[in-house]
Amino acid sequence: MARFIFHIDLDAFFVSAEQAIAPGLKGKPVIVGGDPRRRGVVASASYEARPFGIHAGMPLSQARRLCPQATFIQANFLRYREASNKFMAILADFSPDIEPLGLDEAYLDVTGYQELYGSPRELALKIKTRIHKELDITASVGIATCKVVAKIASDLCKPDGLLEIAPGEEHAFLLPLPAAKLPGVGKKTGEALKEMGINTIGQLASLHIETVKRRFGSFGVMLQQHANGIDERKVAMPGEPKSISQQITFARDTSERHFLEANLHRLCQEVGQELRRQDKRAECVAIKLRYADFKTITRQVSLKEASNANQVISTKASELLDTALRQRRTPLRLIGVRVSNLVGQERQLSLFDSETERLVRLDKALDRIRQKYGSKAIKLGGG
Ligand code: TTP
Ligand code: MG
């Protein structure tokens, strides 16, 4: 049976969230600047600002030159987090098979819901209406039989769009599109494909499988399947994060030792805090250094015993920094910390921990999901 998969993405999310509380900004060029810790870049631009050539990732200074009449707003992440939670809760009301991808996008598997809600198209309209009513934000929805086609469809129909690719139409839909529209084809892969004379998804789809394998390995095989509209991936809640990281880009490149140490220390504190919040401990600590010439290195070390103590993380990170600075003393533009190989409460309990403990753990996990995505998001199996 064909599946019905939605990909739902909010339009100009950060900007729309600002316009929702300041309706006077609707219909105007508005730009939300990103994390002040990164050098000022555009995080989100309203559709009215885009014809001026403004896009995410562009330096704010350039955006100001291109569109001086735009309203510039500093990102307010708490506001976006809250809107995102409401958005996910609305989706979870329609199907428990939800897979959030970021703050403002998610897949939803609505196979078998026709009886309840009518055609997939009608269901998508209901979802769009609720998002609009409750968040005052427009969303674009792609409907298809698999994830990759749904995602491309939502991208193509933005803003406030709805695009349904009927079962069997996947191939014809994908054929003429630029290869860069395929999720996973970034700058590097895009350029490599161009060198091979591949510009469209259709051309990628018809390449010989051995050619793809030789050039891109198993990643290429997956890309080619997607290019053919074949994508069996299920819609599922993502696993727990495998690492936690923090980084900072300096306003000016620096090799000042105390300054670097102090920043590293603060990043370690933040990472430690997040570990404790998640009830996790890390077995591995890594640092990332980016030099003025953009060369980036990472150095990592395993801990004898998993830890979430600031001091342990900080000491290890400082040792790694010491070694790296001894090897190269040129100024840095960015420093970062990452902890990985995370272990949770489960590893601390023995294999034979009681049934009650297991149930408590399950409850905690379910609580977290409900808090995040609304009470109807999950049901226990077997019932
Ligand atoms: P996107 O969905 O990629 O962008 P968007 O919602 O602003 O616009 P579109 O209508 O094209 O979907 O990203 C969602 C939010 O994530 C975006 O509003 C801001 C944030 N973001 C960044 O902070 N930095 C970035 O480089 C990108 C791409 C997004
Ligand atoms: Mg978006």
Side-chain angles (χ1 to χ4, degrees):
M1 184 182 62
R3 296 184 294 164
F4 283 111
I5 307 229
F6 288 5
H7 178 265
I8 306 134
D9 190 298
L10 301 178
D11 302 320
F13 176 44
F14 287 7
V15 164
S16 303
E18 299 295 341
Q19 288 168 327
I21 55 159
L25 293 175
K26 285 185 188 174
K28 299 196 172 138
V30 177
I31 292 164
V32 172
D35 189 339
R37 276 202 197 163
R38 294 174 60 202
R39 276 178 218 193
V41 293
V42 174
S44 178
S46 69
Y47 279 77
E48 291 75 15
R50 295 185 193 192
F52 294 88
I54 290 160
H55 56 77
M58 168 184 283
L60 282 173
S61 50
Q62 191 182 353
R64 276 209 179 81
R65 271 199 306 279
L66 289 172
C67 189
Q69 68 274 39
T71 303
F72 288 81
I73 301 171
Q74 170 133 16
N76 181 340
F77 291 99
L78 277 179
R79 179 173 300 146
Y80 312 143
R81 163 70 54 195
E82 203 179 306
S84 171
N85 288 350
K86 285 188 188 154
F87 165 57
M88 298 297 174
I90 291 173
L91 301 185
D93 271 352
F94 289 90
S95 163
D97 296 316
I98 174 176
E99 179 177 332
L101 286 179
L103 285 176
D104 84 326
E105 60 176 310
Y107 289 111
L108 199 65
D109 188 332
V110 297
T111 312
Y113 281 84
Q114 281 93 312
E115 291 277 316
L116 203 55
Y117 297 115
S119 70
R121 194 182 183 82
E122 285 166 329
L123 171 50
L125 284 171
K126 283 197 175 92
I127 293 177
K128 275 167 64 83
T129 305
R130 266 199 65 187
I131 295 170
H132 193 232
K133 250 207 199 125
E134 293 173 34
L135 296 176
D136 200 4
I137 293 179
T138 58
S140 299
V141 183
I143 308 175
T145 54
C146 66
K147 282 170 142 185
V148 70
V149 177
K151 186 165 165 80
I152 295 173
S154 77
D155 180 41
L156 285 187
C157 68
K158 276 178 161 296
D160 200 12
L162 173 57
L163 180 57
E164 181 176 8
I165 309 304
E169 296 293 318
E170 298 83 0
H171 193 70
F173 165 65
L174 293 175
L175 207 68
L177 300 176
K181 286 282 174 206
L182 203 59
V185 176
K187 215 169 160 196
K188 239 164 111 187
T189 311
E191 272 162 20
L193 286 171
K194 269 210 184 89
E195 274 170 29
M196 299 163 73
I198 305 299
N199 295 305
T200 65
I201 297 185
Q203 288 173 314
L204 172 58
S206 54
L207 267 183
H208 196 285
I209 179 84
E210 287 308 321
T211 315
V212 179
K213 253 194 205 158
R214 223 177 306 121
R215 184 64 185 77
F216 301 105
S218 56
F219 169 67
V221 175
M222 185 198 74
L223 276 187
Q224 197 187 34
Q225 283 194 331
H226 289 181
N228 278 296
I230 302 167
D231 178 7
E232 305 284 340
R233 290 173 302 162
K234 290 202 166 50
V235 173
M237 284 294 287
E240 303 254 333
K242 294 190 174 64
S243 68
I244 296 171
S245 60
Q246 281 289 351
Q247 62 181 41
I248 177 168
T249 303
F250 305 126
R252 226 176 298 117
D253 302 335
T254 177
S255 52
E256 218 277 288
R257 181 59 164 264
H258 292 299
F259 179 78
L260 293 173
E261 288 273 355
N263 274 290
L264 189 67
H265 186 65
R266 188 165 59 82
L267 296 174
C268 288
Q269 277 179 345
E270 289 175 10
V271 163
Q273 192 175 14
E274 182 58 22
L275 270 176
R276 293 188 295 279
R277 198 187 65 75
Q278 293 185 17
D279 238 342
K280 294 264 165 60
R281 292 164 307 136
E283 290 177 333
C284 188
V285 176
I287 62 164
K288 170 161 119 182
L289 303 178
R290 179 166 296 147
Y291 294 93
D293 61 2
F294 274 89
K295 185 176 159 42
T296 307
I297 63 162
T298 56
R299 297 286 180 262
Q300 68 172 45
V301 60
S302 295
L303 302 178
K304 282 203 190 76
E305 201 182 324
S307 173
N308 55 16
N310 289 353
Q311 208 200 336
V312 174
I313 301 167
S314 206
T315 306
K316 287 296 172 196
S318 295
E319 287 171 12
L320 292 169
L321 178 66
D322 265 349
T323 315
L325 290 182
R326 251 180 274 130
Q327 284 162 357
R328 185 176 171 183
R329 284 226 55 112
T330 55
L332 291 165
R333 57 178 280 127
L334 173 151
I335 190 166
V337 180
R338 173 189 301 274
V339 293
S340 57
N341 293 13
L342 307 187
V343 296
Q345 194 72 12
E346 64 272 20
R347 281 242 211 134
Q348 292 163 39
L349 296 168
S350 81
L351 267 178
F352 303 102
D353 58 314
S354 72
E355 186 65 13
T356 341
E357 279 164 321
R358 277 192 43 235
L359 288 175
V360 169
R361 274 209 310 278
L362 177 62
D363 283 344
K364 277 192 185 161
L366 297 182
D367 284 344
R368 278 201 300 274
I369 297 175
R370 283 199 193 94
Q371 268 169 16
K372 210 162 168 198
Y373 302 114
S375 58
K376 293 186 204 151
I378 30 170
K379 290 190 220 91
L380 282 175

